[in-house]
Amino acid sequence: MTSPTSFTGLDEDTVLLQQRIERFHAVRGQILRQVREVIVGQQEVLDQILIALFVGGHCLMTGMPGTAKTLMVRTIADALGLEFRRIQFTPDLMPSDITGTDIIEEDLETGHRKWTFVEGPIFGNILLADEINRTPPKTQSALLEAMQEHSCTVRGHIYSLPAPFFVLATQNPIELEGTYPLPEAQLDRFLFNTLLEDLSAEDELKVIDLTTTTRKTRVEAVTCAEDLLDFQQLVRMVPIAETISRYVVSLVRATRPKNDSAPSIIKKYANYGASVRAAQFIVLAAKARALSHKRYHVTYDDITSVAIPVLRHRILLNFHAESDRIDADEILKQLMAHMPRLSEK
């Protein structure tokens, strides 16, 4: 294992850096232990959510009803010691229902009236946007500003959101009636599109044992907002080789059908590919994964492990893909098999 002193360009004392790294690993382990008291299985989903938190990104969770999406987010928020807010998205939800609004208050002594801003549920650390695709575009745009700028605008006034701020959104993949597809601009703000798969038979048996008895589990906070903000800075300090960075850029550029480097499967099935934001997110997520695995440099395995959940919602497929019943994951797998690693040239 490489020594943590392999970080480059540091001004901090090595001992202090070592303490920060040890704190990162200790907190991550404690979060997993706390969450495992409540959540069974879904290890890959849990890893991706933690990566998103350590990077400071947002996560879109796609899964069937009853896959414990809401319970997982609430449990993680409790373990992190952060303020948790939930919004149940509905077709009649208005932007002010999310951001808050100004109301007129009257001073009972003087009789003077003044505008007072009442904060909406968006003013928390972890926001669960439940069934985000059930609300119309006007309300989704209010959330888009919060996700990108970490602020919201009400009656011309800009209000900063608390730090850290994460949006963990859920959507149901099978119900299309009464839903509004998320615009590409908003999808692009999500670091991951995480898919929740069915549990194994043994895991489902564990769920039955956990939830049909009188057993009650209390999740305890193991960290705080200040720790998470420090971890986000720590992740960005992990070095990455230029050859791996070039591989990420080549991979993202190859998702664009008009690019000369795009393989035939992209030209056939994709209308649009990923933007440079995808490359940024792949690198950041790979750094967080490397640090989580107690490595202090990014490897190709880190890149390939996070590339598909970063890219699957950024590729817009055409009718040929729908006709041939091929999804984004299969296209991306073939693309990555087509992409040579630069060191192998």
Side-chain angles (χ1 to χ4, degrees):
M1 184 182 298
T2 307
S3 168
T5 56
S6 63
F7 283 98
T8 58
L10 296 179
D11 297 325
E12 298 178 342
D13 184 81
T14 304
V15 175
L16 177 60
L17 180 61
Q18 178 68 41
Q19 292 173 347
R20 293 171 65 190
I21 293 173
E22 291 175 354
R23 175 64 178 165
F24 174 89
H25 293 308
V27 166
R28 184 179 183 276
Q30 291 169 356
I31 292 172
L32 289 173
R33 283 192 291 272
Q34 291 288 322
V35 174
R36 281 283 162 242
E37 293 292 321
V38 179
I39 301 298
V40 176
Q42 305 291 5
Q43 183 60 47
E44 184 176 359
V45 174
L46 185 55
D47 286 341
Q48 290 176 8
I49 292 176
L50 289 182
I51 286 174
L53 295 175
F54 293 145
V55 167
H58 311 292
C59 190
L60 178 63
M61 304 167 63
T62 303
M64 303 283 282
T67 50
K69 300 184 293 293
T70 302
L71 179 61
M72 182 181 296
V73 174
R74 183 182 291 275
T75 304
I76 290 174
D78 290 342
L80 292 172
L82 299 180
E83 186 174 0
F84 172 79
R85 301 287 184 90
R86 179 188 178 193
I87 302 175
Q88 183 66 49
F89 281 75
T90 58
D92 60 349
L93 196 71
M94 298 296 292
S96 59
D97 296 329
I98 295 177
T99 61
T101 187
D102 285 324
I103 63 172
I104 297 178
E105 284 191 334
E106 181 176 343
D107 191 315
L108 296 179
E109 294 183 0
T110 64
H112 292 302
R113 297 180 179 181
K114 63 178 180 179
W115 287 101
T116 302
F117 178 66
V118 178
E119 294 181 350
I122 205 171
F123 285 86
N125 296 119
I126 293 185
L127 175 66
L128 172 59
D130 220 350
E131 294 188 285
I132 188 174
N133 57 336
R134 288 200 173 277
T135 201
K138 186 175 182 179
T139 303
Q140 289 178 0
S141 65
L143 184 61
L144 177 61
E145 178 190 359
M147 292 171 63
Q148 181 62 25
E149 307 296 338
H150 287 196
S151 65
C152 66
T153 303
V154 178
R155 293 183 63 250
H157 298 285
I158 298 176
Y159 298 93
S160 297
L161 300 178
F165 175 72
F166 307 104
V167 174
L168 301 180
T170 70
Q171 65 177 2
N172 184 339
I174 59 174
E175 291 187 27
L176 298 178
E177 185 176 353
T179 62
Y180 302 83
L182 296 180
E184 283 69 28
Q186 186 164 9
L187 282 172
D188 199 39
R189 264 65 177 187
F190 285 104
L191 171 66
F192 286 137
N193 180 7
T194 300
L195 303 183
L196 284 85
E197 305 291 349
D198 291 333
L199 297 176
S200 66
E202 288 300 316
D203 283 342
E204 289 192 12
L205 184 61
K206 291 179 183 177
V207 171
I208 298 297
D209 292 338
L210 282 174
T211 58
T212 60
T213 66
T214 58
R215 177 179 180 269
K216 291 185 178 180
T217 303
R218 185 178 176 212
V219 177
E220 298 181 357
V222 298
T223 186
C224 60
E226 290 74 18
D227 273 346
L228 278 176
L229 293 174
D230 182 65
F231 296 158
Q232 291 173 13
Q233 294 301 314
L234 194 62
V235 164
R236 290 174 176 269
M237 295 163 64
V238 176
I240 180 171
E242 183 181 349
T243 53
I244 297 181
S245 293
R246 288 185 177 276
Y247 172 79
V248 173
V249 171
S250 298
L251 175 63
V252 172
R253 290 176 65 85
T255 65
R256 304 166 190 165
K258 294 183 180 180
N259 193 282
D260 293 338
S261 63
S264 58
I265 189 170
I266 291 292
K267 294 181 181 294
K268 179 178 180 181
Y269 292 123
N271 274 342
Y272 298 98
S275 70
V276 68
R277 183 181 282 118
Q280 294 172 311
F281 280 162
I282 289 174
V283 169
L284 283 172
K287 288 185 174 188
R289 184 181 186 274
L291 192 60
S292 298
H293 286 72
K294 298 186 178 181
R295 284 182 283 99
Y296 309 112
H297 61 282
V298 176
T299 66
Y300 278 105
D301 287 341
D302 294 320
I303 300 297
T304 55
S305 294
V306 302
I308 290 180
V310 170
L311 292 172
R312 64 163 56 107
H313 56 296
R314 292 183 161 86
I315 297 179
L316 186 61
L317 304 183
N318 56 29
F319 69 93
H320 292 296
E322 184 176 355
S323 175
D324 292 347
R325 297 189 176 183
I326 184 170
D327 60 14
D329 281 29
E330 179 60 32
I331 292 172
L332 288 170
K333 288 176 184 176
Q334 294 190 34
L335 170 62
M336 293 173 69
H338 164 84
M339 290 291 298
R341 297 183 178 183
L342 298 186
S343 59
E344 298 175 352
K345 284 188 175 181

